[in-house]
Amino acid sequence: MFRIEIERDLCITCGNCVNECDKLFELIDDKSTLIGGEINEDNFSIKEYGDISCGIDSAEMCPVKCIIVYEDDVAIV
């Protein structure tokens, strides 16, 4: 199981994540957000996935590294 978390307070709205993987990411209120994900009280957008395909590429393209990808609760990006 994979989980992606976006620390939205760090997002600079460059759009790299959306350009790389528009099936997982969108910009809401000028911040990266996971489509269908929840935003918690710490302003993290979080969602679990069985397959994240281009999500890893998006995390690697983020210039401020606000996207964290976990596999089985271990950070891989």
Side-chain angles (χ1 to χ4, degrees), residues 9-72:
D9 291 338
L10 296 178
C11 180
I12 60 171
T13 320
C14 69
N16 286 352
C17 58
V18 175
N19 291 336
E20 190 67 35
C21 191
D22 63 358
K23 69 181 185 178
L24 298 182
F25 298 89
E26 64 184 342
L27 296 176
I28 295 179
D29 299 326
D30 291 328
K31 299 293 180 182
S32 180
T33 305
L34 293 161
I35 296 171
E38 71 171 69
I39 298 174
N40 69 15
E41 66 278 353
D42 294 324
N43 204 24
F44 279 68
S45 180
I46 302 170
K47 188 169 181 190
E48 290 188 348
Y49 301 89
D51 174 32
I52 55 170
S53 60
C54 53
I56 290 173
D57 295 333
S58 291
E60 291 173 344
M61 297 289 293
C62 179
V64 295
K65 305 299 182 205
C66 68
I67 302 169
I68 306 158
V69 179
Y70 295 88
E71 182 175 11
D72 297 325

